[in-house]
Amino acid sequence: MDKPIGLVDLAAQWAEIEDEAMPLVQARLRSGDYLGHDTIAAFEREWAEYVGGGVHAVACSSGTDAVELMVRACTPEDAWVGVDEATFVATVAGVERAGRKVVPNHERQCANYTIATWLYGSTAYAADLARQCRERGDVLLEDASQAHGNKRAGTFGDAAAWSLYPSKNLGGIGQGGVVTFKDSVAAAKARRIREHGYDRATDRHFGRGFN
């Protein structure tokens, strides 16, 4: 029987980059700095440059965390957030973890915040949706977890959440996520939230967060 073709072959991908990547992995382990703040900061700069538009990137632990960070940084605590019906459950979970109310996007008359999911990386209706949100005075947020490589993704809304799950177009060894913000204030708020509300500039904690 022929061997079935899998959705993704992570072992084959690793084989292609092992010689280049392994010295970096070993150097990180030998350093004792397993959180890798310098490496993460470098990735954030490069990812923001890749997305373009002067965005600010904030890395986090998973795609679900990315949605939660985006929602908490961009919406008030009593917000109703519209979510596409054709999305993964993590989009809804991120909104609920942020303590906001979820409504389907087709019923979003009571919601001033909309998360559009670029399913399979397609942004075909994004320009029209962005225009509608501007006309309504709504805030558009993006779930771009499947849209790495689509150079338009991350440019339509105020912020975009990206998953770095191993099977994504840009995957990690384990879970990971990143949020891009057009507003530097929202990005700074997200950085505090991802460190339990800790602000490095003032060495103080502001509000609740997670890591």
Side-chain angles (χ1 to χ4, degrees):
M1 180 182 294
D2 293 336
K3 183 179 179 180
I5 298 174
L7 178 64
V8 62
D9 189 340
L10 297 177
Q13 292 181 24
W14 171 251
E16 291 184 7
I17 65 171
E18 182 175 2
D19 291 343
E20 177 184 359
M22 185 55 76
L24 300 176
V25 174
Q26 293 174 331
R28 175 56 59 194
L29 295 175
R30 289 168 181 155
S31 75
D33 178 13
Y34 291 178
L35 296 181
H37 292 297
D38 56 339
T39 303
I40 292 172
F43 166 73
E44 289 173 335
R45 290 191 297 270
E46 291 185 22
W47 186 249
E49 182 179 350
Y50 177 81
V51 174
V55 298
H56 310 269
V58 180
C60 56
S61 298
S62 70
T64 309
D65 282 357
V67 174
E68 180 180 355
L69 267 182
M70 175 176 69
V71 171
R72 291 181 63 174
C74 296
T75 71
E77 293 184 359
D78 61 350
W80 291 65
V81 180
V83 174
D84 282 345
E85 293 88 335
T87 189
F88 184 57
V89 66
T91 313
V92 175
V95 176
E96 290 184 334
R97 279 174 32 179
R100 278 48 166 180
K101 300 292 185 181
V102 179
V103 295
N105 268 340
H106 76 275
E107 299 176 1
R108 74 177 194 275
Q109 289 82 357
C110 58
N112 295 114
Y113 302 89
T114 296
I115 298 180
T117 297
W118 308 140
L119 203 60
Y120 307 115
S122 173
T123 56
Y125 69 97
D128 286 341
L129 178 60
R131 175 184 53 78
Q132 292 172 18
C133 287
R134 286 194 301 269
E135 292 174 352
R136 287 167 49 94
D138 293 350
V139 172
L140 176 61
L141 306 172
E142 305 177 44
D143 182 347
S145 294
Q146 297 186 9
H148 318 68
N150 181 336
K151 289 297 290 180
R152 301 184 72 196
T155 67
F156 296 99
D158 285 12
W162 312 77
S163 170
L164 305 179
Y165 190 79
S167 61
K168 300 297 184 182
N169 294 344
L170 178 63
I173 303 176
Q175 295 274 6
V178 60
V179 191
T180 49
F181 297 92
K182 289 183 178 177
D183 179 39
S184 61
V185 174
K189 182 178 180 180
R191 290 192 179 95
R192 291 195 299 271
I193 294 171
R194 75 172 178 186
E195 294 195 56
H196 291 292
Y198 178 63
D199 181 73
R200 291 181 175 273
T202 61
D203 194 27
R204 295 177 59 191
H205 285 81
F206 298 87
R208 299 175 180 175
F210 58 87
N211 66 357

